[in-house]
Amino acid sequence: ERSPMPTEELFGNYHFLLEIAGITGDTKTIIGGFKSMSGMDSETEVIEFKQGNDRVVRKKPGRTTYANITLERGFTATDDLWKWRKNIEDGIIDRRSGTITMLDQDLETIVAQYNFYEGWPAKWYVPELDSDQSGMAIEKIEIAVEKVERVMK
């Protein structure tokens, strides 16, 4: 009988940590160290209107949308994120909140933290496998979110 596959133990090599609620119980658990993150963008639509005979077009903020968050890491044997993605593929609505922590060069000091809400994995990128390449296999996950907030210190 084979021993179980090793779990992610590489937190010290990355600058972004991901915590997801509900991966193990109701509390947030760090489930991976990531080498890159993108998509923490927000945009508020501009609503134009005029009042009475005003010759100037006024503008006010409308609805705010948040971009999908994309995270990349070296391929690991852990499957927590894949199980979450599989729920979505199987038609199970599985929205979760989480936190992304950005670490300084010392890999301990927190530079910034962002909480996201109502997230679900919209895309899963399987690493390209090529025996002629010596680089690390990189997996990516794209998380659709409804809201992102920066944690203020």
Side-chain angles (χ1 to χ4, degrees), residues 79-92:
D79 62 357
D80 294 335
L81 292 175
W82 169 248
K83 288 177 181 175
W84 186 25
R85 171 67 188 148
K86 185 77 170 100
N87 283 346
I88 301 302
E89 289 181 358
D90 291 344
I92 300 168

Side-chain angles (χ1 to χ4, degrees), residues 8 10-18 32-38 70-76 100-103 107 135-140:
E8 169 88 57
L10 305 172
F11 301 135
N13 295 333
Y14 298 95
H15 296 284
F16 305 96
L17 298 178
L18 173 65
F34 289 79
K35 73 178 198 74
S36 72
M37 175 196 66
S38 62
T70 301
L71 295 154
E72 295 184 25
R73 70 177 176 185
F75 187 76
T76 68
I100 295 172
T101 302
M102 302 169 70
L103 301 176
L107 302 176
M136 180 183 292
I138 302 298
E139 67 179 336
K140 293 193 294 186

